[in-house]
Amino acid sequence: MTWHVETSTDGVDWAQAKRELIADRFDNGRTADALRRSFEQSQHVAIAWDGDRVVGMARLLSDGVCNAYLVDVWTAASHRRRGVASRMVNDLAARVPGQHIGLQVDDAAPFYESLGFAAQPIFMSKVVGRWLDNDANR
């Protein structure tokens, strides 16, 4: 294993991270600065590094009591199927003992099921105004 996971965003080149997300078709439209803010303002983060290159990211939003929400789990295409995402998700989960962790998935349900997540019957969401139309993305 040449990669490792850190619990800090120190040293992340957010412009490069944004380019990597775009290349992997994982970009959701945030600016590089908004991406940085999303991670820096999260309760817990996991950043996978291979040398000086970020090859994975994930973050966990938590109330510190009973509920947490897993978001932005990404592994660079070059490092998939090597345990990077599993390690990041498991590391994040270990930081919120006794809490329910929710997440929304589009096409990775089998992966999350392999980590112990179970499908819930209903998930609802609402975007206030237009998606990403806020000060953080200007």
Side-chain angles (χ1 to χ4, degrees):
M1 174 174 79
T2 61
W3 54 269
H4 68 281
V5 176
E6 297 288 334
T7 61
S8 166
T9 60
D10 292 348
V12 173
D13 178 337
W14 294 103
Q16 179 60 34
K18 168 83 174 173
R19 288 189 292 275
E20 296 265 0
L21 293 172
I22 290 169
D24 274 349
R25 295 186 166 146
F26 198 80
D27 180 52
N28 72 357
R30 283 174 289 189
T31 64
D33 188 56
L35 179 65
R36 176 192 59 78
R37 289 178 60 187
S38 292
F39 273 80
E40 288 179 353
Q41 294 179 29
S42 295
Q43 180 92 16
H44 302 286
V45 299
I47 307 292
W49 293 88
D50 189 346
D52 62 356
R53 180 180 173 215
V54 172
V55 296
M57 299 186 295
R59 62 192 185 102
L60 195 65
L61 311 176
S62 171
D63 61 14
V65 178
C66 59
N67 289 299
Y69 189 68
L70 180 65
V71 289
D72 292 336
V73 180
W74 164 76
T75 303
S78 61
H79 284 68
R80 291 190 184 137
R81 305 191 84 51
R82 295 186 189 182
V84 175
S86 296
R87 169 78 182 278
M88 291 188 303
V89 172
N90 287 330
D91 284 1
L92 289 169
R95 295 188 229 161
V96 291
Q99 293 187 45
H100 172 267
I101 300 174
L103 76 149
Q104 180 179 356
V105 298
D106 293 327
D107 58 3
F111 166 71
Y112 290 103
E113 288 169 348
S114 76
L115 297 177
F117 288 82
Q120 299 293 299
I122 297 175
F123 178 86
M124 299 175 74
S125 68
K126 174 182 176 180
V127 174
V128 178
R130 283 189 12 208
W131 172 248
L132 295 179
D133 184 8
N134 56 51
D135 289 342
N137 288 290
R138 292 191 183 101

